Amino acid sequence: MFQTAAIRRVSPDPPDAPTDAPSARPVRADVTTTATVGGALVAVTLRNDTAVAVRVRVENDLDGPVLPPRREGVPAAGWDEDGFTGVVPADARLGIGYACPNVDGDTAGPADTDRALDPISLAVLGPAEEADPSASDRVAVAVRSLGRATPPADAVPTSAALDPDRTDSSAGCRPRRCDGPAESDPSSVPTPVAAWLDAVETRVRRAERLTDATADEAAAVLEDCGGADGVATLPDELQADRASLRAAGDRIEDLAARAAEADPELVVSSLLAAAEGDTSPASGGESTASGTSGAGDPEAGR
Amino acid sequence: MILAITGGKGGVGKSTLSVELGAALDATVVDADLGMADLPTGPGPDLHDVLAGRADPIEAVREGCGPVRTLPCGRSLSGARAADVTVLDDVLRDVEREYGDVVVDCPAGLRADAGVPLAVADACVVVASPRRYALADAVRSRELARELDAGLVAVVINRVVDDAPTAAFEEALGAPATIVPADPRVERTLEAFRPVVRTAPSTRAADAIRAVADAACRTKRV
């Protein structure tokens, strides 16, 4: 599922720094960048060779946003939108990692990872001190550790909430669409329109899943679509869908407004009454009787 | 000051006590029970809308609609799904800045919706019923409050009919326990939206509630 284009170890320290002087560089970092479809996974091992815990700042230098590890939807402790701040314990190692999608849509290839620029920059902020967690930190801790108490999603699927990925090729021939009852219901959408909307919904759902997606989420979508080819045309299709939806929406709105305004009932009933009046002499007594009862007492005829 | 009313178990009287303390402290009562709200609501935006980013916290506060200023919570499941509990921090601070003291009615349980108010609050009151089994839940809530740095103002043993195991509660929770005697007028506080500290201020229940409010005020001054 992942295409590992390149794995490379880099040191974020300047090349002219003395490598055998741990006091000059209390913390060193080994960075492994793994290119995947749509982005890169960055793994950083921070080594602290000194006898004191050190606070460090790791910032992303790749071209793209940082997608930090999350728990319950909240970034893990120490992560913000540019990187990570944390403490490396004395004489110990700390492993961190994040994903970085390519904003410009390029696939991170060898050219990307072989360039001279290091994927991260490392700054030592000094010895670690006991920091009093702020209220917002405590909120994040509470959500991460306790878990959100959101009610479960709707248990009964509605037509809008049907799994879109299962309807790709068979949108038009799902049983609930082809069944008679669905079509006889005046409030339901006609089958061809529903099929078109379902197809659009599939693409929109995919596009939503790929919007600001982590590498794992993107990989899951790719797996569902059968590889990169499956999503290659998605941006263009989405563009076309936007135009069609807007046009259809305008037309539907226009027609709905006109349909609400129009009131043919009165004229139609009088036309029908006139037509029945015209035909009654020629078609005999039975017709006349029913015509009379219909005009005089509509309820009686039903 | 932001005061969280918590207590682990449901039905021990957290919402009732929130309204009573809100009246005693002249505070704004926020119904943070996102899944099963209790406080009276009405037309207008509620906490679900605020936490979903659809409304401003200040415009959702009901003022002059009853004896206590409230920020009620919606009743719908879809509202509870859309509400982002991490925003509660800013919401409570906005309300405190605008109206002063805030009393937060926490939900039962120990999930994030119960934890976040404690993480934001300056202090908390743990409510328990006078049963042996209630003590375990009170201890769990107390531990959660300690982890999230919400100081314990008082333990309230609610609806006491005979002798309450006060000593056991005080020993297990490490805080003075206040006994609120069972009183049919207190039972009707939520239903009628009439706190006894206003309607029957000379009752023993109202005395007990005022004692808790005084303890909260002393915490504020320190």
Side-chain angles (χ1 to χ4, degrees):
Chain A
M1 143 171 108
F2 289 127
Q3 292 179 356
T4 304
I7 299 177
R8 176 169 173 261
R9 282 171 197 281
V10 292
S11 164
D13 295 309
D16 54 339
T19 50
D20 53 348
S23 59
R25 305 190 313 170
V27 176
R28 286 184 289 180
D30 284 338
V31 186
T32 309
T33 313
T34 310
T36 68
V37 177
L41 301 177
V42 183
V44 184
T45 308
L46 299 161
R47 283 169 206 277
N48 181 4
D49 296 331
T50 64
V52 289
V54 175
R55 178 169 284 274
V56 296
R57 169 84 187 157
V58 174
E59 289 210 356
N60 173 41
D61 286 341
L62 290 177
D63 190 17
V66 172
L67 301 182
R70 285 172 184 268
R71 183 158 294 173
E72 297 289 335
V74 180
W79 288 93
D80 55 45
E81 54 196 21
D82 298 318
F84 171 81
T85 309
V87 172
V88 189
D91 259 328
R93 292 192 291 181
L94 177 70
I96 59 171
Y98 63 95
C100 178
N102 287 76
V103 180
D104 50 9
D106 287 353
T107 302
D112 211 17
T113 44
D114 279 356
R115 61 186 178 178
L117 188 68
D118 288 334
I120 62 155
S121 58
L122 173 68
V124 175
L125 306 178
E129 66 240 11
E130 281 293 314
D132 193 29
S134 71
S136 59
D137 287 345
R138 285 199 296 270
V139 168
V141 166
V143 175
R144 269 199 300 266
S145 57
L146 302 173
R148 291 177 194 257
T150 313
D154 280 331
V156 182
T158 59
S159 57
L162 280 169
D163 184 7
D165 286 331
R166 220 181 291 158
T167 63
D168 306 0
S169 52
S170 57
C173 40
R174 282 205 321 272
R176 53 174 288 126
R177 290 281 174 224
C178 296
D179 276 356
E183 287 178 2
S184 65
D185 181 359
S187 66
S188 78
V189 181
T191 307
V193 178
W196 173 63
L197 286 175
D198 283 357
V200 172
E201 197 188 348
T202 306
R203 292 190 283 272
V204 171
R205 193 69 67 92
R206 262 185 203 150
E208 282 172 347
R209 285 172 69 189
L210 288 170
T211 306
D212 295 333
T214 63
D216 280 352
E217 289 161 5
V221 176
L222 281 185
E223 207 162 44
D224 290 345
C225 305
D229 291 345
V231 293
T233 54
L234 187 61
D236 291 341
E237 287 172 339
L238 196 67
Q239 187 66 38
D241 283 341
R242 280 191 205 115
S244 325
L245 284 171
R246 215 170 289 132
D250 288 347
R251 184 141 188 226
I252 287 169
E253 233 172 67
D254 185 29
L255 286 175
R258 282 166 61 186
E261 288 280 324
D263 185 15
E265 204 174 0
L266 195 66
V267 177
V268 168
S269 60
S270 61
L271 281 176
L272 285 179
E276 273 176 16
D278 283 346
T279 52
S280 55
S283 50
E286 221 176 79
S287 277
T288 310
S290 78
T292 313
S293 83
D297 181 16
E299 294 303 318
R302 284 176 204 170
Chain B
M1 181 184 59
I2 299 175
L3 181 69
I5 313 300
T6 187
K9 198 172 281 299
V12 292
K14 292 185 292 296
S15 301
T16 304
L17 198 78
S18 300
V19 171
E20 294 287 355
L21 282 175
L25 292 165
D26 194 22
T28 309
V29 182
V30 177
D31 191 352
D33 197 342
L34 304 180
M36 299 180 183
D38 281 330
L39 254 56
T41 184
D46 54 41
L47 190 62
H48 280 167
D49 300 311
V50 175
L51 294 182
R54 290 191 295 255
D56 186 81
I58 306 306
E59 68 179 347
V61 173
R62 308 288 198 274
E63 220 177 347
C65 304
V68 186
R69 216 168 28 242
T70 60
L71 201 174
C73 188
R75 263 66 167 171
S76 68
L77 281 178
S78 55
R81 282 188 202 106
D84 179 7
V85 75
T86 56
V87 191
L88 192 62
D89 185 7
D90 297 332
V91 171
L92 294 178
R93 285 183 202 290
D94 283 353
V95 174
E96 186 192 22
R97 211 171 297 125
E98 184 75 19
Y99 293 105
D101 290 346
V102 176
V103 171
V104 189
D105 179 18
C106 298
L110 295 173
R111 301 300 293 268
D113 53 345
V116 169
L118 289 173
V120 181
D122 303 303
C124 72
V125 171
V126 172
V127 187
S129 74
R131 305 263 181 274
R132 287 272 162 193
Y133 62 75
L135 184 57
D137 286 318
V139 168
R140 276 193 279 269
S141 295
R142 200 285 173 259
E143 279 308 306
L144 185 64
R146 203 198 303 269
E147 277 170 31
L148 296 170
D149 209 19
L152 181 60
V153 166
V155 177
V156 171
I157 309 182
N158 198 14
R159 297 193 198 116
V160 174
V161 180
D162 302 316
D163 286 340
T166 315
F169 274 74
E170 287 186 339
E171 192 185 334
L173 297 163
T178 306
I179 290 177
V180 177
D183 186 326
R185 283 164 293 202
V186 180
E187 298 300 312
R188 286 197 298 272
T189 292
L190 267 188
E191 197 185 328
F193 205 33
R194 283 155 51 110
V196 294
V197 291
R198 297 270 171 83
T199 56
S202 55
T203 52
R204 284 170 58 218
D207 283 344
I209 288 156
R210 270 196 304 274
V212 177
D214 289 345
C217 285
R218 282 198 296 278
T219 317
K220 190 166 92 176
R221 275 201 293 276
V222 171

